[in-house]
Amino acid sequence: SHIDRQLIDSILLRESGDSPYMKRQRKLDENTNLRVQSIRSKLKQKNERDARWKQHLIDATLAPLLNSHIARATVEQPLSTVAVIDMDSFFISCHILTQPRLSSVPACVGGPSMISTSNYPARKYGVRAAMPGYIGKILVKELSGGKEELVFVKSDYELYERKSGEV
C-alpha cells in the first residue's frame, strides 16, 4: 500500500519545520528558485535570438571530441567493461540475513538521533538515510495508524566488513 507523499512531507515539516536548519534551507531554496528563474529567462531569450545555437554547440565541440575519442578507443586500446554494484540498504540487509523478521517490519540501522539506512517497509513510510530517527519513528507510527513501529538496529561494522568481503 502506497502512502501519500504529501502526508509524509507534512509530518516532516511539522516535526522539523521551525528548526534553524529548515529556516535556512527555506531561504536557500528561495534564492535558488530566483536564480533558476533568472537562468530560465536568459535561456529563453537566447533560444529566441538563435534557435540553432544548441546544434552549433554540438557540432563545434561535442561531435569532434566524441569522434576523436571513438577513433582512438578503437585503434589504440580495446574497449573495457565496468560493472557497478549498488548495494542498496546494505547495512540493514546484513542484519536481515541474521534476523529475517526484520525484512517484514519497518526497520533501520541507527537510533533516535540519526538513521544510516532503512529497509523497504520503512521507506514506504518515508523513512530514509540521514533522517533523525525520532522523525522516522513518528512517520511510521502515524502513517500506519499506530499498527507498526520503527525497529532500530545498532550498527555492526564488523558484520558489514565480513559481508562486503563476501560480495
Side-chain angles (χ1 to χ4, degrees), residues 1 18 26 28 32 37 53 55 61 64 76 101 105 108 114-115 120 122 146-147 157 159 161 163:
S1 62
D18 289 331
R26 279 195 288 278
L28 289 172
T32 299
Q37 188 177 11
W53 76 273
Q55 190 60 47
T61 58
E76 297 173 12
R101 70 176 180 81
V105 298
C108 65
M114 192 57 60
I115 293 172
Y120 290 107
K147 295 177 187 165
Y157 292 101
L159 172 66
E161 188 175 342
K163 293 300 178 186

Side-chain angles (χ1 to χ4, degrees), residues 142-154:
E142 285 190 27
L143 296 174
S144 71
K147 295 177 187 165
E148 296 192 274
E149 191 170 311
L150 184 61
V151 175
F152 291 98
V153 180
K154 289 186 184 256

Side-chain angles (χ1 to χ4, degrees), residues 73-97:
T74 55
V75 172
E76 297 173 12
Q77 56 186 318
L79 295 177
S80 60
T81 302
V82 176
V84 175
I85 301 171
D86 181 2
M87 297 189 292
D88 189 35
S89 62
F90 177 71
F91 291 172
I92 192 69
S93 296
C94 291
H95 291 284
I96 289 171
L97 290 172

Side-chain angles (χ1 to χ4, degrees), residues 96 99-107 119-122 124-125 148 151:
I96 289 171
Q99 302 173 63
R101 70 176 180 81
L102 294 175
S103 67
S104 60
V105 298
N119 65 0
Y120 290 107
K124 171 176 86 172
Y125 295 111
E148 296 192 274
V151 175

Side-chain angles (χ1 to χ4, degrees), residues 15-163:
E15 294 300 322
S16 61
D18 289 331
S19 70
Y21 172 79
M22 289 301 289
K23 288 177 184 175
R24 181 175 177 270
Q25 285 303 114
R26 279 195 288 278
K27 183 66 178 164
L28 289 172
D29 287 349
E30 288 173 25
N31 291 338
T32 299
N33 289 339
L34 289 173
R35 279 185 271 157
V36 167
Q37 188 177 11
S38 172
I39 290 169
R40 282 184 177 158
S41 175
K42 289 176 184 175
L43 281 173
K44 184 178 178 185
Q45 291 171 5
K46 173 74 173 159
N47 287 339
E48 288 170 357
R49 282 193 312 266
D50 183 5
R52 294 182 308 270
W53 76 273
K54 289 180 187 176
Q55 190 60 47
H56 172 72
L57 180 66
I58 291 170
D59 292 342
T61 58
L62 293 177
L65 184 64
L66 217 80
N67 290 335
S68 169
H69 180 70
I70 290 170
R72 275 197 326 270
T74 55
V75 172
E76 297 173 12
Q77 56 186 318
L79 295 177
S80 60
T81 302
V82 176
V84 175
I85 301 171
D86 181 2
M87 297 189 292
D88 189 35
S89 62
F90 177 71
F91 291 172
I92 192 69
S93 296
C94 291
H95 291 284
I96 289 171
L97 290 172
T98 58
Q99 302 173 63
R101 70 176 180 81
L102 294 175
S103 67
S104 60
V105 298
C108 65
V109 174
S113 61
M114 192 57 60
I115 293 172
S116 295
T117 188
S118 59
N119 65 0
Y120 290 107
R123 290 179 186 189
K124 171 176 86 172
Y125 295 111
V127 178
R128 62 186 192 289
M131 171 183 279
Y134 74 91
I135 290 179
K137 188 172 183 170
I138 291 168
L139 284 171
V140 171
K141 186 173 184 174
E142 285 190 27
L143 296 174
S144 71
K147 295 177 187 165
E148 296 192 274
E149 191 170 311
L150 184 61
V151 175
F152 291 98
V153 180
K154 289 186 184 256
S155 297
D156 183 348
Y157 292 101
E158 289 178 5
L159 172 66
Y160 311 146
E161 188 175 342
R162 282 195 316 275
K163 293 300 178 186

